[in-house]
Amino acid sequence: MKLLTHNMLTSHVKGVTKGYPLLIKATEVKVSEVEFNPNFVSRMIPKLEWSALVQAADGLGHLQDLPAELVTDYEKNEEFLRKVHRVLLEVEVLEGCLQCPESGREFPISRGVPNMLLNEDEA
Amino acid sequence: MNDSNCQCAALQFYCTAGNGMEPFLIQEVKTKLAAKDVDHIPGKVFFTTSSEIKQVRELKSAERLFLLLKRHSPLLAHTPKTPSGIQSRLMGDGSDWTRAVLSWRSLQRDLMMRSDCTLSVALPGRKRKMEEEEEKDSGVEGSTFNGPYGTQKLGLEGKRREFGLSKDTSSTEDSGSVSCVSGDKVEEDSIEGSRDRKTSTVSFRVSCRCSGALSRRFSPQDLSRIIGTAVSRQLGWRVDLRKPDLEVNVYMSDDHCVLGIPLLRLPLANRSYMKTTGLRSTIAWAMASLSDIKPGSCVIDPMCGVGTILLEAAHEYQDVFFLGLDIDESQLVKASQNVEFAKFGDRVQLLQASSKEIPLPSCSVDVVVCDVPFGKKFGTKTDMAASLPVIVREMERVLRVGGTLVLLLSPQLSCLLKKSMTPRPVPSHTQGEGTGVGLGGDVDPSLTPSLFPSLQPLSYHRVSLGAIDALIHKYVKILTATTTLSGPDCIHTLNPCIVDPE
């Protein structure tokens, strides 16, 4: 699970109103080299919940120098885009779980794929 | 690109297409190949283009690709039903045939210059030799590149292979007229060394398909023989039923007469980048083409299976994020392998989740595209019919206003969905299941509103999946009284729904 995906995920447990962002508890994290595509990154940025991204990266120990606030005029700022690229696409949680901030329910992540299936009573 | 400067003469081609796919293919050839003289009959689209063959072979909604040899109005209109009548009509003075084989040869050379491991070129007898050549040159292929720090350079690998193929740079020309061949760009491939290039020693085979009145008179084998005899007699080509240089496909019906030469051994629908297929790739591509995917779009498939639609879309559209959801782990494993094989790990992500509870905020996605299971997966058709409203409701919820929904449905589910969207008077007939029997017991005299008020139907397309037909439905999510930016539909909204001004 890459952090771009994590940024979109929300807990759907019944009755939960604040299921976002999910807390990441990682047991295995992988960092790989992914080809940098500045267009892709700058187009994804408007869709991101920035503070959740920073929090997630920090939680994994991969915050490095990603700024706490979104930089204005980032489209031409290659250095900034590269930092975002690294955090969004190169850091991957392979094993661990995602925890609903309100109910505490844990969703396992295995082989990089989160399992968000709910039990019958939770749906 | 090494030979993008090649200005090819315009050639006439046709492609076969699945039933219902013709409009998609027509659109595709016009858009991608600047095709002229685009015409079609059921199952075939004809076009003229001067684009390079390597672009033509990238067509995504076509089945097979042919060089057009000739095309007639139906044979029986003007010709007596005799073998010699057929022969003289189809052969003419032979110039169409001679011209076609020269074009074909030049195209084969162009195709060979581009080394692609899984899509071999047409020559049946040469396939093995060619694969050996390709394997030598493609040491950088696919799976060896997937180490943890392996870079994913999709575009570059293709280029590397092209440059790697050994070329004999002495340029040669065919004997005879070269009106369709850009002479100085024709390069001799090393395997062809011993082949005689005079057209008179081309070996060929005829394969016929016929229907209608003609087929009652002659069997396909008869016709193949009749035509084959005329060709070898008039042009001197050599008949070879086992390993011919080229094949002539003849299609004759009451309404049409088409002769062509297939250009590739495998159908275009066989994708080199797909490991395990689910839905037919042409249909998957057609759905993606309807979805208004733009750079920056977030696209999800809530029942992605092995990921066919997302992969076709990822191959076509750049700078887009794709998320595939499926309830079934075994499907996701295959999807994951497919994503890795195609090297789309940076753009396509997977999630195990139920389409009835999509773990995404409302109004957060630009496109939802989905091949809805026809009923077997969910146990029975009744189960699927009962689940469909919940599933579509979730799809509606996660779409942002202005977003697009494209679904592939069985005829029964299509009917069911249409009914659930049409406000209709309901004496005894609410949404039907597969058998058309009403669901609930309530006799409600007033209008039943649409179950999905913020989904506006835009178009429907009927396509053939082979044994059965299916319907593609396209919707756009609109702003309604209940779909306000911060209304009950958007309880989990994080960022305001951005209504795309485009």
Side-chain angles (χ1 to χ4, degrees), chain B residues 357-473:
Chain B
E357 289 111 22
I358 300 180
L360 296 173
S362 303
C363 306
S364 59
V365 153
D366 300 295
V367 173
V368 176
V369 63
C370 190
D371 166 15
V372 177
F374 287 9
K376 288 175 209 151
K377 200 169 170 180
F378 280 64
T380 65
K381 286 186 176 157
T382 341
D383 290 343
M384 189 59 224
S387 305
L388 188 65
V390 178
I391 293 168
V392 176
R393 172 137 322 111
E394 271 294 272
M395 294 177 179
E396 184 191 19
R397 181 186 65 79
V398 301
L399 262 181
R400 64 160 177 83
V401 176
T404 308
L405 171 62
V406 175
L407 298 173
L408 184 72
L409 299 159
S410 68
Q412 293 102 313
L413 291 178
S414 164
C415 204
L416 177 62
L417 192 55
K418 278 184 184 172
K419 281 191 192 145
S420 66
M421 292 208 181
T422 318
R424 53 199 291 126
V426 277
S428 57
H429 194 59
T430 47
Q431 27 182 137
E433 299 188 46
T435 52
V437 172
L439 250 185
D442 285 326
V443 175
D444 189 336
S446 64
L447 278 183
T448 307
S450 166
L451 278 185
F452 314 103
S454 59
L455 286 180
Q456 183 176 78
L458 289 183
S459 61
Y460 304 106
H461 310 260
R462 192 169 194 111
V463 292
S464 166
L465 297 182
I468 47 170
D469 275 2
L471 282 304
I472 302 177
H473 286 214

Side-chain angles (χ1 to χ4, degrees), chain B residues 308-366:
Chain B
T308 313
I309 304 176
L310 295 177
L311 286 168
E312 282 296 315
H315 214 260
E316 184 72 39
Y317 302 100
Q318 307 308 315
D319 304 331
V320 175
F321 178 57
F322 299 94
L323 193 56
L325 287 68
D326 204 280
I327 213 170
D328 183 344
E329 191 178 338
S330 62
Q331 294 281 286
L332 285 170
V333 168
K334 292 190 184 128
S336 181
Q337 288 168 354
N338 272 337
V339 171
E340 203 174 292
F341 186 72
K343 301 203 177 46
F344 286 152
D346 55 336
R347 285 187 276 158
V348 182
Q349 286 269 281
L350 300 170
L351 209 52
Q352 187 169 10
S354 165
S355 53
K356 295 185 190 176
E357 289 111 22
I358 300 180
L360 296 173
S362 303
C363 306
S364 59
V365 153
D366 300 295

Side-chain angles (χ1 to χ4, degrees), chain A residues 2 4-5 8-10 12 20 31-35 37 39-40 43 47 49 89 111 114-117 123, chain B residues 148-149 151-152 295-296 319-321 327 329 345-346 349 351-352 354 357-361 366 397 494-495:
Chain A
K2 307 206 180 199
L4 175 53
T5 308
M8 297 191 64
L9 288 178
T10 179
H12 248 57
Y20 182 93
V31 180
S32 29
E33 207 184 310
V34 173
E35 190 179 349
N37 179 348
N39 292 330
F40 180 76
R43 291 207 184 258
K47 297 180 187 290
E49 182 63 38
L89 300 177
R111 284 184 290 199
N115 181 348
M116 308 294 296
L117 292 173
Chain B
Y149 293 93
T151 37
Q152 298 159 7
D319 304 331
V320 175
F321 178 57
I327 213 170
E329 191 178 338
D346 55 336
Q349 286 269 281
L351 209 52
Q352 187 169 10
S354 165
E357 289 111 22
I358 300 180
L360 296 173
D366 300 295
R397 181 186 65 79
L494 306 157
N495 298 315

Side-chain angles (χ1 to χ4, degrees), chain B residues 70 72 86-97 234:
Chain B
K70 49 165 55 203
H72 281 306
I86 293 170
Q87 286 170 335
S88 61
R89 176 94 167 125
L90 291 183
M91 291 308 303
D93 62 358
S95 58
D96 286 331
W97 293 75
Q234 191 164 336

